[in-house]
Amino acid sequence: MTAATHSTLFPQVPETADAVLDGLDPEQREVALALSGPVCVLAGAGTGKTRAITHRIAYGVRAGILQPASVLAVTFTNRAAGEMRGRLRQLGAGGVQARTFHSAALRQLQFFWPKAVGGDMPRLLERKIQLVADAAARCRIRLDRNELRDVTSEIEWAKVTQTVPADYPAAVAKSVRDAPRDPAEISQIYALYEQLKRDRSVIDFEDVLLLTVGILQDRHDIAEQIRRQYQHFVVDEYQDVSPLQQRLLDLWLGDRDNLCVVGDASQTIYSFTGATPDHLLNFRNRHPNATVVKLVRDYRSTPQVVHLANGLLSQARGRAAEHRLELISQRDPGPEPVYTEYADEPAEAEGTARRIRDLIAAGVPAGEIAVLYRINAQSEVYEQALADAGVPYQLRGAERFFERQEVREAGIALRGAARAGGNDSLLDDVEDLPAQVRAVLSTKGWTTKPPSGSGAVRDRWESLAALVRLAEDFARAKSGATLSDLVAELDERAAAQHAPTVQGVTLASLHAAKGLEWDAVFLVGLTEGMMPITYAKTDEQVEEERRLLYVGVTRARVHLSLSWALSRAPGGRASRRPSRFLKGLRPGSGSLGSVGVTGSGGIERGIAGGRRKPRGPVLCRVCGATLTEAGAMKLMRCEDCPSDMDEGLYERLRDWRSEQARELAQPAYCVFTDKTLMAIAERVPTTDGELSSIAGVGIRKLDRFGADVLAICAGGEGGAGGDEV
């Protein structure tokens, strides 16, 4: 299709070194051929940077210029490292180390600890928040849950910026950083936290880098041993390097300059963790003889999406903005970005769910759709709306694919069938590999037709379906492949954390979406106070918020929707304003005009707004307080106000719901959530109008289940359900 996206999952390993270069565009090819000295690749979103650097490494290995064991490629997430290892293996360059900074440092620390320090290495602390809580308690400083999380983040920031406890207050003042507590208090907690770690013989993740740096600085013999091992370094996402990571990289390099860095200053969105684009922007100053290559051909997004992304950055200010890359789309034109204004957040979520359902009906796979928001707390209303619409979804950051119970069970079953070969009755009269996999996984819950709705049942099916699709792709790519070959492939993918795609709409924060892409992206909640976030005070903080929105925009390949709500709750005062970042981009908002290449498009009003009557503030029917939380609005009372629920009716509704869920083969909450059943049991509706006024009972569910529910409320039994929700 293009040079950078949608390659087959199992491409043939190139026969020669020169064949590795096939399909690269001129700039990517220049990167691949620059195998000595410092190299700086400035790569815009969607320009194929991972393709360029993996082909660079593979070409060097296949041409005999680089020894696989002498190359260390580092990036920032296990997923990215796993993807890199997978791509290198497919290019015939297995054996190259592709790791995160922490993984590479931990491996070295474990190996050299007995020689450098002696004895057993301290235990690695998985989560530091409890130890921070203990330190705060000993300091007699009370922290609530949010403050505890924020103070923990401050300690992490201090450590990656190499700031000791005593220097923390001055460092905060210099960085114009908003501390969550008095800096002197945080300094005190930080100091005691470090003492408690020593007392308990534990280290945290930041210590892994700090201790490795300390050993390499103090023990030149160990540093030289590592330098003999690794002759060539590649650093992905270089704009996100912290001062501590840069120090470790300098120690790995020594006085050599065989370093290739790849990054985009316009995608610097992790400054709160200590990341800074300065190392990328200053690279040419540190290495005057560096080869610099710019990748600006965007293979991911349509011209319409790219035009909006470029327009967004054209208004940016600051040093990173001075080095922005003007992307050039390589794809055919697509639909204009859609801007939608809603009356309130529930209406925005419901409207988004409807649009997603329409896209799926039009043929866009659920796994190729994402809803992206600024903070994780925004996800709940979208989870509810998608569940009500019967749309499967998955939360980004959930359990790793190969660690899921159903995937482990499937692996055991496939391995057993491979060992049994022709002696397994499941495989009688089953010839091709995909059919064998489908036969084996049918014993674990896979069916030809997916279950309706979302939830655990659908999640399990999606995992198994991903394995079936992987087997089909594997069989197409590897003629004559056996079940044993597939099991070996799965083992290698599990080791590399190179997971297949699971079908389900992705819900993720904008930060978590970095490095990912989808056919359709919904950017929601784009109001002042959320984008930019309310605590972004300085110019640089606001510019980072703009870059965060840019990252969100550039995740979309074809369909892009941007929306905002004028109030939080139904009937609330319409006091919110669209994000300032959309000014001049959304139609009618300023001098830059329409974002679309053709100039078409416009702002739509929320679909729900045209069908609903205006609603006043939602008040608690017990105490009269204004309700703002979705769950409370559904119940029409504060969560802690006394309930007048008919317990018997509630149980009858639950029994009915369970029966419906069994008949429809979907999770119970896709029929009605517990909160909706509680609201029905409290209000005991007698008419369609009364029932439809309860949040969670939309038109489709009223038509589908209304008669049953009203019959149960009247003391009767619900009838049998239909075939569709």
Side-chain angles (χ1 to χ4, degrees):
M1 173 160 166
T2 67
T5 62
H6 288 259
S7 59
T8 58
L9 287 174
F10 298 98
Q12 295 294 322
V13 174
E15 294 183 0
T16 65
D18 286 341
V20 172
L21 303 177
D22 291 346
L24 299 183
D25 69 28
E27 294 80 21
Q28 292 170 345
R29 190 181 181 91
E30 185 180 355
V31 172
L33 292 173
L35 289 170
S36 63
V39 178
C40 180
V41 183
L42 301 175
T47 58
K49 68 179 179 63
T50 305
R51 179 181 176 85
I53 59 176
T54 52
H55 281 67
R56 177 182 187 272
I57 295 169
Y59 175 74
V61 169
R62 298 290 299 276
I65 300 170
L66 304 176
Q67 295 301 311
S70 73
V71 180
L72 178 58
V74 289
T75 187
F76 285 82
T77 67
N78 288 319
R79 182 199 60 78
E83 180 186 357
M84 194 178 293
R85 287 193 295 270
R87 291 201 191 191
L88 288 169
R89 182 166 58 86
Q90 292 167 353
L91 292 169
V96 173
Q97 291 292 318
R99 296 180 174 273
T100 64
F101 270 100
H102 281 88
S103 173
L106 180 60
R107 195 164 182 246
Q108 294 171 14
L109 191 63
Q110 291 169 330
F111 184 82
F112 289 111
W113 186 273
K115 180 178 180 179
V117 182
D120 294 330
M121 195 180 92
R123 178 174 60 86
L124 183 61
L125 192 65
E126 293 291 337
R127 296 180 71 249
K128 61 172 66 69
I129 197 162
Q130 184 56 55
L131 206 58
V132 174
D134 293 346
R138 293 199 182 190
C139 294
R140 297 185 178 180
I141 298 173
R142 293 178 60 87
L143 300 176
D144 62 29
R145 185 172 60 182
N146 291 330
E147 288 177 321
L148 181 59
R149 183 189 63 225
D150 291 344
V151 169
T152 300
S153 296
E154 283 300 292
I155 291 174
E156 292 172 350
W157 173 82
K159 298 185 75 165
V160 300
T161 56
Q162 303 176 82
T163 303
V164 298
D167 295 341
Y168 171 77
V172 168
K174 184 178 179 181
S175 67
V176 199
R177 187 179 178 87
D178 288 331
R181 296 278 300 208
D182 184 297
E185 289 184 336
I186 294 178
S187 175
Q188 187 181 0
I189 296 170
Y190 178 15
L192 194 52
Y193 166 77
E194 292 295 314
Q195 181 61 53
L196 288 176
K197 283 197 295 135
R198 289 190 291 271
D199 294 345
R200 300 179 187 182
S201 296
V202 295
I203 59 174
D204 59 29
F205 277 99
E206 290 72 39
D207 290 330
V208 170
L209 300 183
L210 286 163
L211 289 168
T212 305
V213 165
I215 288 174
L216 297 184
Q217 286 180 159
D218 295 342
R219 293 291 299 268
H220 297 293
D221 57 330
I222 292 176
E224 285 305 315
Q225 186 174 342
I226 290 176
R227 290 167 191 162
R228 286 194 298 271
Q229 168 73 47
Y230 296 117
Q231 304 290 321
H232 199 97
F233 296 85
V234 177
V235 184
D236 193 12
E237 304 288 2
Y238 193 56
Q239 77 278 351
D240 291 332
V241 166
S242 71
L244 179 56
Q245 289 164 332
Q246 180 63 47
R247 180 63 185 139
L248 177 60
L249 180 61
D250 289 340
L251 287 165
W252 282 340
L253 276 165
D255 58 2
R256 301 165 302 170
D257 63 359
N258 280 330
L259 169 65
C260 174
V261 301
V262 189
D264 179 8
S266 296
Q267 296 187 67
T268 305
I269 58 173
Y270 296 109
S271 67
F272 60 91
T273 67
T276 170
D278 289 347
H279 304 298
L280 176 66
L281 298 177
N282 293 335
F283 190 84
R284 282 168 287 184
N285 295 333
R286 294 184 65 186
H287 304 279
N289 62 330
T291 299
V292 179
V293 183
K294 293 183 179 181
L295 303 182
V296 296
R297 301 175 196 248
D298 188 318
Y299 297 98
R300 176 188 299 159
S301 305
T302 63
Q304 286 76 10
V305 173
V306 168
H307 190 73
L308 173 54
N310 286 336
L312 186 61
L313 283 190
S314 72
Q315 304 180 51
R317 300 291 180 268
R319 192 177 180 212
E322 293 170 3
H323 295 79
R324 63 179 174 265
L325 299 168
E326 187 85 7
L327 300 178
I328 305 171
S329 176
Q330 305 297 298
R331 297 194 57 160
D332 292 335
E336 296 287 346
V338 175
Y339 297 82
T340 312
E341 183 176 277
Y342 292 93
D344 51 66
E345 287 184 7
E348 184 180 11
E350 292 166 13
T352 300
R354 271 193 301 275
R355 288 179 181 273
I356 289 172
R357 194 173 61 201
D358 292 343
L359 280 176
I360 294 173
V364 180
E368 289 295 348
I369 302 174
V371 178
L372 306 181
Y373 34 75
R374 178 59 180 83
I375 59 174
N376 287 320
Q378 292 171 273
S379 75
E380 183 180 1
V381 67
Y382 290 93
E383 293 177 57
Q384 180 68 60
L386 290 171
D388 286 346
V391 175
Y393 66 85
Q394 56 179 333
L395 286 170
R396 180 72 192 161
E399 186 179 25
R400 289 181 180 177
F401 180 82
F402 288 105
E403 294 173 2
R404 298 175 186 176
Q405 182 178 349
E406 64 269 21
V407 175
R408 292 198 302 268
E409 292 174 354
I412 293 170
L414 291 170
R415 191 169 288 107
R419 282 198 300 266
N423 297 321
D424 192 327
S425 60
L426 273 173
L427 305 183
D428 288 348
D429 302 321
V430 179
E431 295 183 0
D432 66 342
L433 176 60
Q436 291 175 346
V437 172
R438 288 191 288 267
V440 173
L441 297 189
S442 65
T443 67
K444 298 299 176 183
W446 180 82
T447 57
T448 55
K449 184 178 180 181
S452 303
S454 56
V457 173
R458 181 64 183 244
D459 288 346
R460 181 181 181 87
W461 185 90
E462 291 289 1
S463 296
L464 299 177
L467 293 175
V468 170
R469 288 192 298 273
L470 192 71
E472 292 167 349
D473 290 328
F474 188 69
R476 279 194 294 269
K478 310 285 185 181
S479 179
T482 65
L483 198 54
S484 295
D485 295 331
L486 177 64
V487 168
E489 172 68 22
L490 290 175
D491 287 342
E492 290 191 25
R493 280 175 164 261
Q497 287 300 328
H498 187 196
T501 302
V502 175
Q503 289 302 325
V505 174
T506 298
L507 296 177
S509 70
L510 286 162
H511 283 101
K514 179 74 167 64
L516 303 175
E517 59 185 82
W518 296 270
D519 283 345
V521 169
F522 290 78
L523 301 175
V524 299
L526 301 181
T527 60
E528 285 292 308
M530 191 60 74
M531 178 55 66
I533 199 76
T534 185
Y535 50 75
K537 304 293 187 185
T538 67
D539 289 345
E540 180 48 42
Q541 289 169 339
V542 170
E543 286 304 316
E544 179 152 336
E545 292 288 298
R546 188 194 306 274
R547 295 195 294 269
L548 187 57
L549 181 57
Y550 172 79
V551 166
V553 168
T554 54
R555 299 311 93 193
R557 297 190 190 110
V558 181
H559 305 279
L560 179 61
S561 175
L562 305 94
S563 64
W564 59 92
L566 298 179
S567 68
R568 179 181 183 186
R573 187 163 62 91
S575 58
R576 292 179 171 179
R577 291 179 292 120
S579 169
R580 71 188 74 171
F581 300 144
L582 300 182
K583 185 174 177 59
L585 299 176
R586 60 184 175 88
S589 63
S591 58
L592 293 185
S594 172
V595 306
V597 172
T598 64
S600 61
I603 299 178
E604 298 184 6
R605 302 301 166 186
I607 298 173
R611 297 178 183 169
R612 293 184 174 185
K613 295 179 180 179
R615 291 178 287 189
V618 181
L619 304 179
C620 173
R621 54 193 173 81
V622 179
C623 70
T626 299
L627 303 177
T628 57
E629 299 297 329
M633 288 189 287
K634 186 166 286 190
L635 292 174
M636 293 292 288
R637 63 172 173 80
C638 302
E639 297 270 7
D640 53 359
C641 278
S643 170
D644 53 358
M645 182 174 68
D646 183 331
E647 297 286 351
L649 174 57
Y650 179 66
E651 291 305 319
R652 292 196 301 276
L653 287 168
R654 282 175 59 88
D655 291 343
W656 166 83
R657 182 183 65 173
S658 296
E659 182 61 30
Q660 293 293 316
R662 278 194 296 272
E663 290 182 9
L664 297 167
Q666 65 177 192
Y669 69 79
C670 286
V671 179
F672 284 121
T673 64
D674 286 344
K675 285 282 175 62
T676 299
L677 291 189
M678 290 174 65
I680 293 171
E682 288 183 354
R683 297 168 67 181
V684 195
T686 60
T687 66
D688 283 355
E690 291 176 358
L691 180 58
S692 65
S693 69
I694 296 174
V697 185
I699 294 175
R700 290 177 67 245
K701 292 195 175 183
L702 181 66
D703 292 342
R704 173 64 186 81
F705 300 122
D708 282 3
V709 171
L710 291 175
I712 295 170
C713 289
E717 297 294 331
D723 296 327
E724 187 180 331
V725 173

